Amino acid sequence: MRKIVLLAIMAAFIAAVSAPQTVQAVEKVKGEVVMKVGNKVNLFHSGTADVKKEICIGDTLTVYRGTGKTQQQEKEVGQVKVLGYAGEHYFEAEIVKGVIKPGDIAMKKGVYCMVQKPN
């Protein structure tokens, strides 16, 4: 239940901060954009101190996708390795395992990032 509440808070924050980018990512998901091992992605985060403290360059994060009608169940779909910073609210990462779609959630110890296709 705690994860669901955290995901809802993160989704609301993302919608408020980057509405144009989120809309673009949703449109691409409908077209079935998938990214495979070796592709670069951006990880959107809130920019808070706990995110910057927990996630470091070189870390590998597990990526999950919501499943079911209300997406309350999580399914592990891959892993990404953080390569660096791409602005105040983004990490640059590379897919090291699995097949990932924009909108998937990368997690590490209660810290969440939304996967987005790089511009």
Side-chain angles (χ1 to χ4, degrees):
M1 183 66 179
R2 181 175 178 225
K3 288 182 180 181
I4 295 170
V5 171
L6 289 173
L7 283 173
I9 291 170
M10 183 70 167
F13 179 78
I14 290 169
V17 173
S18 66
Q21 294 172 345
T22 304
V23 169
Q24 181 182 14
V26 170
E27 291 173 0
K28 289 181 181 178
V29 169
K30 288 180 183 175
E32 290 300 315
V33 172
V34 293
M35 298 169 284
K36 299 180 180 180
V37 175
N39 288 98
K40 301 269 195 277
V41 295
N42 285 337
L43 302 177
F44 176 80
H45 61 87
S46 63
T48 58
D50 60 335
V51 172
K52 293 177 180 177
K53 183 176 96 173
E54 189 63 45
I55 299 175
C56 302
I57 295 173
D59 285 352
T60 301
L61 285 66
T62 304
V63 180
Y64 297 91
R65 182 174 303 135
T67 60
K69 289 184 180 180
T70 58
Q71 296 194 0
Q72 291 181 352
Q73 301 169 352
E74 298 171 351
K75 175 184 169 188
E76 184 177 330
V77 292
Q79 294 181 338
V80 294
K81 182 176 181 179
V82 178
L83 302 176
Y85 299 97
E88 188 175 335
H89 292 282
Y90 292 92
F91 292 113
E92 181 182 0
E94 180 178 0
I95 300 171
V96 294
K97 179 181 174 186
V99 177
I100 297 173
K101 294 181 181 180
D104 289 346
I105 304 296
M107 292 188 227
K108 181 182 176 191
K109 295 183 182 177
V111 178
Y112 304 89
C113 299
M114 180 179 276
V115 176
Q116 294 184 341
K117 188 173 179 177
N119 296 334

